[in-house]
């Protein structure tokens, strides 16, 4: 573990050159930023499932993501009905709910893969639905998909470096930085190799996605998002398309990231993961957030009738 | 039949078809013109065709480029709905009447014609790419154009290579209608020679053989490209990579 973190530390100086603030990196590092200790304890208590009231995980500061009055319809079908929620840095939010309750749609609205019909989404204080520089915001919101969506025509290494290289080239053009294209590519390659080493797949760097197992694909997809130094990771049912024996390796990586302080929003059917790793659980039903509470409140002592009946079916 | 088998006459006919007045040079001059026209037409066709397909696809997926998309739609309808010979006449005698070089007129005409067909093929290719690919690209902060160029188009291109080469092959042979407006392409040569020798047999056979060879070379190129691009296929992928699957398995257990 220590070794891995050392490796990641070396990534930091590069981040300073990028537009991503250094805090994105420290968060990654784990235990370095001020609010970290609070987070750690919160997740530890949650993990060990030890009675009592968990400490309030919310530091008093501006939320990372704020959603106001979000509505989304597909034709006549209203999928999201007036959702408002705030998510702070360091929170690990798990969204559960019956199928068709709008979980995935909600998640996809957060980075505007679905355009909301109504409402506003603030990310780091900037409103996204009318943002002209949406791409630069998206770089800070990683997304992991159910079907991995690796680029099949590119090698694993290229899959990981494509976006960061492109972002830095864009940055270079904009700020007229004195760095050659080759330097950027080499630096990003080195970073990608470190990330691959972290998940023990550096030997797959030159392989094409078609040769990988589902679990490997998903872990590489996660690493691909990490390569952008995101402030938040969105997971859209990351284990639903996996064979049962591969679910564990993906969840383990996700847990590792959570322990390091990464802000995560996870749509999942893995109730154990939700219970052990999350700091907050949203239960969605019929396009609304029906319950918003700590995992203890949601799993230990559910009050909402629909939540009760949902949990009785899945647990 | 007797005449055909008569060795002496056969030799004479061969000689008059190829050797007298260095007539063999005519075939290759025609071949050169055919290849020139085909090459430029393919280039115009592919570039314009992919452009049209991208515009139509973008309109369908995002709702943008409405007017451009409508224009493209009219274009493909008109071009595919009229015979290429008439298009050639219209170009040669009306639109490009001032251009003296027939090869240029031919290249442009066949290129514009081919673009309409390539556009439909390319559109099918774009739609064959999983929508998740666009989402993955955009969620990584790549712009729409960048995602298109780096992720969607390469995959679309791969999927349509057989259909694309079908179009190229048809195009090479289609250029033989250029003779209608006096362009001396390979298809025109047998007629020219027959008008001197009153013998069609060998000129027709030889010109056909040359077309056949060109098409065979095209097919070889197609196989080569397919093989290059199949590197990322399951099953093939390990063949191209040092170490291959065995090595990787080992690392997993380690």
């Amino acid at each position: 573990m220590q070794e891995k973190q050392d490796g990641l530390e070396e990534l930091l100086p590069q981040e300073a050159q990028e537009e991503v603030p250094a805090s994105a990196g420290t968060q990654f590092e784990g235990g370095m930023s001020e609010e970290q200790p609070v987070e750690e304890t919160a997740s530890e208590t949650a993990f060990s499932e030890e009675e009592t009231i968990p400490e309030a995980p919310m530091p008093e500061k501006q939320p990372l993501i704020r959603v106001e009055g979000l509505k989304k319809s597909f034709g006549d079908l209203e999928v999201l009905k007036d959702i408002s929620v705030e998510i702070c840095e360091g929170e690990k939010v798990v969204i559960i709910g019956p199928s068709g309750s709008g979980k995935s749609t909600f998640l996809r609205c957060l980075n505007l893969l679905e355009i909301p019909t109504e409402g506003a989404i603030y990310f780091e204080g900037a409103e996204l639905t009318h943002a002209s520089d949406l791409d630069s915001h998206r770089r800070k919101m990683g997304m992991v998909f159910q079907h991995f969506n690796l680029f099949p025509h590119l090698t694993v290494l290229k899959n990981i470096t494509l976006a960061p290289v492109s972002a830095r080239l864009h940055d270079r053009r904009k700020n007229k930085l004195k760095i050659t294209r080759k330097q950027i590519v080499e630096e990003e390659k080195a970073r990608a190799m470190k990330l691959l080493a972290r998940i023990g797949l550096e030997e797959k760097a030159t392989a094409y996605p078609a040769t990988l197992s589902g679990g490997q694909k998903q872990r590489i997809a996660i690493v691909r998002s990490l390569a952008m130094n995101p402030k938040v990771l969105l997971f859209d049912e990351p284990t639903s398309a996996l064979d049962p024996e591969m679910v564990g390796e993906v969840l383990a990586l996700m847990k590792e990231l959570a322990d390091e302080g990464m802000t995560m929003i996870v749509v999942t059917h893995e109730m154990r993961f939700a219970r052990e790793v999350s700091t907050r659980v949203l239960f969605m039903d019929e396009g609304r957030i029906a319950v918003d509470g700590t995992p203890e409140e949601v799993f230990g002592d559910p009050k909402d009738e629909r939540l009760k009946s949902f949990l009785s079916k899945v647990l | 039949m007797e005449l055909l088998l008569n060795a002496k006459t056969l030799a004479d006919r061969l000689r008059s078809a190829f050797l007298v007045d260095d007539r063999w040079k005519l075939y290759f001059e025609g071949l050169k013109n055919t290849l020139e026209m085909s090459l430029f037409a393919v280039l115009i066709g592919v570039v314009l065709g992919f452009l049209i397909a991208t515009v139509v696809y973008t309109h369908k997926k995002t709702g943008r480029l409405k007017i451009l998309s409508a224009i493209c739609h009219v274009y493909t309808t008109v071009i595919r709905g009229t015979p290429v010979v008439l298009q050639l006449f219209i170009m040669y005698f009306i639109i490009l009447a001032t251009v003296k070089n027939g090869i240029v007129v031919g290249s442009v005409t066949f290129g514009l014609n081919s673009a309409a067909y390539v556009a439909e093929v390319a559109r099918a290719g774009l739609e064959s790419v999983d929508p998740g690919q666009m989402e993955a690209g955009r969620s990584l902060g790549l712009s729409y154009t960048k995602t298109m160029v780096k992720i969607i188009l390469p995959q679309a291109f791969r999927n349509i290579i057989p259909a694309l080469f079908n179009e190229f092959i048809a195009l090479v042979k289609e250029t033989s209608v250029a003779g209608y407006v006096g362009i001396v392409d390979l298809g025109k040569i047998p007629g020219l020679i027959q008008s001197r020798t009153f013998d069609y047999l060998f000129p027709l056979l030889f010109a056909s053989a040359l077309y056949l060879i060109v098409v065979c070379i095209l097919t070889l190129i197609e196989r080569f490209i397919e093989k290059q691009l199949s590197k990322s296929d399951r099953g093939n992928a390990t063949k191209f990579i040092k170490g291959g699957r065995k090595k990787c398995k080992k690392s997993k257990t380690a």
Side-chain angles (χ1 to χ4, degrees):
Chain A
M1 194 63 199
Q2 193 52 48
E3 263 178 47
K4 277 173 191 165
Q5 292 206 347
D6 284 346
L8 288 164
E9 219 150 22
E10 287 173 47
L11 304 178
L12 271 180
Q14 284 170 24
E15 276 152 25
Q17 295 167 17
E18 293 181 42
E19 53 184 4
V20 183
S23 66
T26 45
Q27 198 192 76
F28 198 116
E29 209 81 352
M32 296 253 313
S33 55
E34 320 91 67
E35 75 265 26
Q36 217 52 65
V38 187
E39 289 306 319
E40 296 266 285
T41 35
S43 65
E44 267 165 33
T45 43
F47 182 47
S48 55
E49 285 179 50
E50 267 171 39
E51 33 75 57
T52 67
I53 323 101
E55 291 163 61
M58 249 172 273
E60 297 238 355
K61 55 180 287 194
Q62 198 193 10
L64 186 63
I65 296 175
R66 197 168 90 235
V67 179
E68 274 177 9
L70 174 65
K71 289 181 187 172
K72 174 68 186 177
S73 308
F74 294 105
D76 290 335
L77 183 69
E78 199 178 20
V79 181
L80 297 179
K81 300 163 187 166
D82 196 20
I83 289 185
S84 296
V85 69
E86 288 186 356
I87 290 161
C88 294
E89 222 168 306
E91 278 195 282
K92 298 108 189 50
V93 180
V94 165
I95 305 174
I96 58 172
S99 68
S101 59
K103 308 181 296 281
S104 285
T105 308
F106 171 61
L107 196 74
R108 290 158 57 84
C109 277
L110 290 181
N111 68 353
L112 261 63
L113 280 185
E114 301 289 355
I115 312 290
T117 319
E118 251 180 75
I121 293 160
Y122 296 88
F123 176 62
E124 298 183 302
E127 213 280 320
L128 293 188
T129 54
H130 293 97
S132 56
D133 54 344
L134 181 58
D135 290 335
S136 70
H137 293 297
R138 274 180 174 153
R139 278 176 211 139
K140 294 179 231 162
M141 310 172 99
M143 180 136 189
V144 177
F145 299 87
Q146 181 177 359
H147 296 287
F148 333 127
N149 295 354
L150 291 180
F151 308 130
H153 62 302
L154 300 176
T155 61
V156 166
L157 193 64
K158 262 259 157 149
N159 259 282
I160 299 171
T161 58
L162 177 66
V165 166
S166 163
R168 287 183 65 188
L169 286 176
H170 178 80
D171 198 36
R172 182 185 69 158
R173 230 171 309 141
K174 213 169 79 185
N175 301 327
K176 300 197 171 65
L177 300 177
K178 282 206 175 65
I179 181 166
T180 64
R181 188 194 182 92
K182 212 179 152 199
Q183 259 176 299
I184 292 179
V185 172
E186 286 307 317
E187 281 176 22
E188 289 303 327
K189 264 189 190 166
R191 286 189 53 211
M193 286 311 291
K194 269 182 199 145
L195 286 166
L196 279 174
R198 178 198 165 118
I199 56 170
L201 289 177
E202 63 265 65
E203 289 187 48
K204 292 287 189 185
T206 54
Y208 286 92
T211 57
L212 305 174
S213 75
Q216 290 172 334
K217 279 186 202 168
Q218 192 61 299
R219 285 188 291 146
I220 284 163
I222 292 173
V223 157
R224 178 175 71 174
S225 307
L226 285 179
M228 299 298 290
N229 290 317
K231 293 216 125 191
V232 54
L233 276 183
L234 313 175
F235 292 85
D236 188 3
E237 305 200 16
T239 56
S240 299
L242 293 175
D243 288 342
E245 78 264 29
M246 291 172 181
V247 170
E249 60 188 84
V250 172
L251 290 183
L253 175 60
M254 287 168 66
K255 188 171 179 308
E256 221 177 288
L257 294 174
D259 290 345
E260 281 165 21
M262 174 62 75
T263 313
M264 302 183 4
I265 305 174
V266 187
V267 171
T268 188
H269 295 291
E270 294 290 333
M271 293 303 149
R272 251 196 70 193
F273 177 84
R275 196 188 286 214
E276 291 174 7
V277 179
S278 72
T279 57
R280 184 174 169 193
V281 178
L282 304 180
F283 171 66
M284 283 187 70
D285 189 52
E286 288 176 3
R288 288 196 176 82
I289 296 177
V291 179
D292 178 353
T294 63
E296 287 76 12
E297 288 165 2
V298 170
F299 294 108
D301 180 25
K303 300 220 164 48
D304 188 276
E305 278 308 317
R306 286 167 300 175
L307 174 58
K308 270 190 204 165
S309 95
F310 172 72
L311 288 177
S312 72
K313 280 177 211 150
V314 295
L315 285 180
Chain B
M1 206 58 197
E2 257 173 60
L3 267 180
L4 193 83
L5 294 174
N6 185 319
K8 190 162 182 292
T9 359
L10 261 188
D12 275 348
R13 292 170 76 183
L14 268 173
R15 197 173 307 122
S16 68
F18 296 110
L19 298 179
V20 178
D21 296 340
D22 277 346
R23 281 183 189 137
W24 60 273
K25 281 184 185 166
L26 281 175
Y27 297 98
F28 290 100
E29 208 167 292
L31 180 64
K32 194 187 116 226
N33 289 343
T34 292
L35 289 181
E36 264 178 32
M37 267 192 299
S38 307
L39 182 68
F40 288 121
V42 162
L43 288 179
I44 296 172
V46 167
V47 173
L48 192 60
F50 267 84
L51 222 60
I52 292 172
T54 309
V55 167
V56 173
Y57 175 84
T58 301
H59 173 64
K60 195 179 161 195
K61 295 283 164 181
T62 67
R64 285 180 290 177
L65 306 177
K66 193 174 177 185
I67 296 169
L68 257 183
S69 166
I71 294 172
C72 292
H73 205 74
V74 171
Y75 180 82
T76 47
T77 308
V78 170
I79 295 288
R80 293 200 303 165
T82 52
V84 67
V85 186
L86 297 189
Q87 289 166 16
L88 186 65
F89 283 157
I90 291 170
M91 277 295 189
Y92 195 80
F93 293 117
I94 301 168
I95 299 176
L96 296 177
T98 51
V99 178
K100 291 283 177 282
N101 189 336
I103 302 291
V104 172
V105 178
S107 302
V108 172
T109 309
F110 296 119
L112 293 181
N113 181 272
S114 179
Y117 292 90
V118 171
E120 286 301 292
V121 171
R123 196 169 61 84
L126 287 172
E127 282 176 8
S128 73
V129 177
D130 175 14
Q133 294 288 311
M134 176 58 86
E135 290 178 354
R138 297 310 305 279
S139 77
L140 285 167
L142 297 174
S143 67
Y144 181 85
T145 319
K146 191 106 193 173
T147 312
M148 227 26 203
V149 172
K150 292 273 183 182
I151 295 165
I152 310 294
L153 281 170
Q155 292 183 55
F157 182 72
R158 226 206 90 165
N159 292 348
I160 58 167
I161 286 173
L164 214 50
F165 271 84
N166 229 359
E167 167 58 23
F168 294 164
I169 287 169
L171 176 64
V172 169
K173 293 176 292 174
E174 209 169 65
T175 56
S176 61
V177 302
Y180 275 98
V181 292
I183 300 168
V184 188
D185 75 308
L186 183 55
K188 178 101 172 166
I189 303 296
L192 283 181
I193 293 178
Q194 186 268 348
S195 66
R196 304 268 176 79
T197 64
F198 304 105
D199 183 5
Y200 254 133
L201 179 66
F202 290 111
L204 280 180
L205 282 180
F206 188 60
S208 304
L210 285 179
Y211 273 113
L212 183 62
I213 290 168
V214 170
V215 170
C216 286
I217 292 172
L218 269 178
T219 315
L220 284 178
I221 295 174
E222 181 194 348
R223 297 273 178 276
F224 176 77
I225 294 179
E226 273 189 336
K227 201 174 159 195
Q228 287 299 307
L229 294 183
S230 72
K231 275 184 201 170
S232 59
D233 279 353
R234 179 193 271 276
N236 265 346
T238 42
K239 265 190 261 169
F240 291 87
I241 298 154
K242 218 174 58 183
R245 196 166 264 182
K246 260 185 205 158
K247 198 173 164 189
C248 298
K249 271 219 175 118
K250 211 165 59 191
S251 80
K252 202 179 152 191
T253 48

